[in-house]
């Protein structure tokens, strides 16, 4: 960007000076949270997805946190290493479940328990710019934020980014959404981490949200009914498979009637 200053005196004489400055490209990389786990005890994790077409230097990114209300950033976590295109980087609490630690890339102390906003910041020159958030700065929300119509979903739940999401979003209200259709997230029960360590991205992928499971209590030979809202972006839904199990492990599968 170039500036020129032209000065003219009362006799018509002029002088000109020019200066140029570099303009930085502030377009954020397509790097964003793909999973958030707020489980029991220390079962906490954050997963970062590289949605670009090339490897990134993780030292150009930081994790930010606001604890119980406040302004960005109260706490930061520096990242290191390289993350391949289409790859994930998993940060786990150092005392998380062994199966979580097995897929982690960094183990540290994570403090989030529902009302602590999380962010990814990218470095531009000497400045850090926020490029994706879970939650928001400002007043403490109480126990947590609602997501996809689920009350306080950031507490005692796992959030997985929909495969149709291709970039980060610093507008938390827009990202969280008001229902399963307009949210960028799918909300799972507490201590669900089967998806941790991988993330797929498809702008035309169908969206799914479980709308009901019954009865509330089951015993041997009880028929369980699962209902869900399935939406195809293009074409139609050809199949749906239900995985089920206990203790966060999906050991059984069955086809869903469409």
């Amino acid at each position: 960007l170039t500036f020129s200053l032209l000065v003219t005196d009362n006799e018509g004489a002029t002088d000109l000076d020019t200066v140029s400055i570099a303009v930085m490209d502030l377009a954020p990389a397509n790097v964003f949270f793909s999973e958030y786990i707020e489980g029991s005890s220390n079962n906490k994790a954050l997963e970062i997805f590289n949605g670009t077409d090339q490897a990134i230097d993780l030292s150009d990114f930081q994790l930010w946190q606001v604890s119980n209300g406040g302004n960005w950033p109260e706490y930061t976590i520096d990242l290191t290493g390289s993350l391949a295109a289409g790859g994930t980087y998993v940060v786990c609490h150092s005392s998380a479940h062994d199966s979580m630690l097995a897929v982690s890339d960094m183990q540290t102390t994570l403090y989030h328990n529902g009302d602590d906003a999380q962010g990814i910041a990218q470095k531009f020159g000497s400045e850090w710019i926020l490029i994706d958030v879970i939650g928001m700065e400002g007043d403490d929300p109480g126990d947590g934020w609602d997501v996809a119509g689920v009350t306080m979903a950031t507490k005692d739940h796992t959030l997985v980014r929909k495969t149709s999401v291709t970039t980060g979003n610093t507008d938390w209200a827009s990202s969280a959404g008001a229902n399963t259709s307009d949210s960028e997230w799918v909300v799972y029960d507490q201590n669900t981490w089967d998806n941790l360590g991988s993330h797929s991205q498809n702008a035309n992928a169908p969206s799914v949200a479980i709308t009901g499971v019954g009865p509330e209590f089951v015993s041997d030979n009880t028929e369980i009914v699962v209902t869900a809202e399935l939406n195809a972006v293009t074409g139609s839904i050809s199949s749906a498979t239900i995985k089920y199990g206990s203790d966060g492990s999906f050991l059984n599968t069955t086809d869903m009637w469409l």
Side-chain angles (χ1 to χ4, degrees):
L1 186 62
T2 301
F3 297 88
S4 292
L5 176 61
L6 176 65
V7 178
T8 304
D9 66 15
N10 62 355
E11 296 181 351
T14 63
D15 193 16
L16 176 71
D17 195 15
T18 301
V19 64
S20 297
I21 60 172
V23 178
M24 186 177 300
D25 181 8
L26 293 180
N30 292 331
V31 176
F32 52 88
F33 288 119
S34 49
E35 188 160 351
Y36 162 99
I37 297 177
E38 205 290 285
S40 61
S41 187
N42 291 317
N43 295 324
K44 304 177 187 297
L46 297 168
E47 180 184 88
I48 301 169
F49 177 69
N50 177 9
T52 74
D53 58 1
Q54 57 188 353
I56 59 171
D57 183 352
L58 286 171
S59 65
D60 291 331
F61 298 86
Q62 281 183 340
L63 289 177
W64 286 7
Q65 177 173 302
V66 175
S67 180
N68 304 321
N71 298 315
W72 299 110
E74 290 186 2
Y75 306 100
T76 63
I77 296 176
D78 293 322
L79 305 177
T80 60
S82 177
L83 180 58
T88 58
Y89 187 86
V90 177
V91 181
C92 277
H93 192 289
S94 54
S95 298
H97 192 279
D98 287 345
S99 60
M100 296 174 65
L101 296 177
V103 298
S104 66
D105 299 286
M106 174 187 285
Q107 299 173 17
T108 187
T109 301
L110 294 177
Y111 296 98
H112 60 271
N113 60 1
D115 61 346
D116 308 303
Q118 309 296 314
I120 299 176
Q122 182 178 352
K123 190 175 185 180
F124 294 93
S126 61
E127 299 293 325
W128 290 93
I129 305 296
L130 198 63
I131 61 172
D132 194 28
V133 297
I134 299 173
M136 57 196 298
E137 66 178 351
D139 295 336
D140 189 337
D143 288 332
W145 287 275
D146 298 350
V147 181
V150 178
T151 302
M152 295 182 295
T154 54
K155 180 178 177 61
D156 297 338
H157 289 92
T158 290
L159 308 180
V160 175
R161 211 70 173 261
K162 290 181 179 178
T163 57
S164 57
V165 175
T166 59
T167 189
N169 190 349
T170 56
D171 181 347
W172 172 241
S174 169
S175 176
N179 52 60
T180 57
S181 297
D182 66 9
S183 177
E184 294 183 0
W185 300 88
V186 178
V187 182
Y188 291 90
D189 289 339
Q190 187 183 43
N191 293 335
T192 300
W193 49 73
D194 296 73
N195 298 302
L196 192 64
S198 65
H199 182 71
S200 61
Q201 186 180 63
N202 184 348
N204 292 321
S207 63
V208 56
I210 295 175
T211 56
V213 178
E216 183 176 356
F217 300 101
V218 299
S219 59
D220 291 344
N221 300 318
T222 299
E223 181 179 277
I224 301 174
V225 177
V226 178
T227 57
E229 179 181 329
L230 312 178
N231 295 299
V233 176
T234 60
S236 59
I237 305 294
S238 60
S239 66
T241 302
I242 299 175
K243 297 182 179 182
Y244 60 97
S246 58
D247 299 325
S249 299
F250 298 145
L251 302 178
N252 309 284
T253 62
T254 186
D255 290 333
M256 189 173 190
W257 181 79
L258 299 176

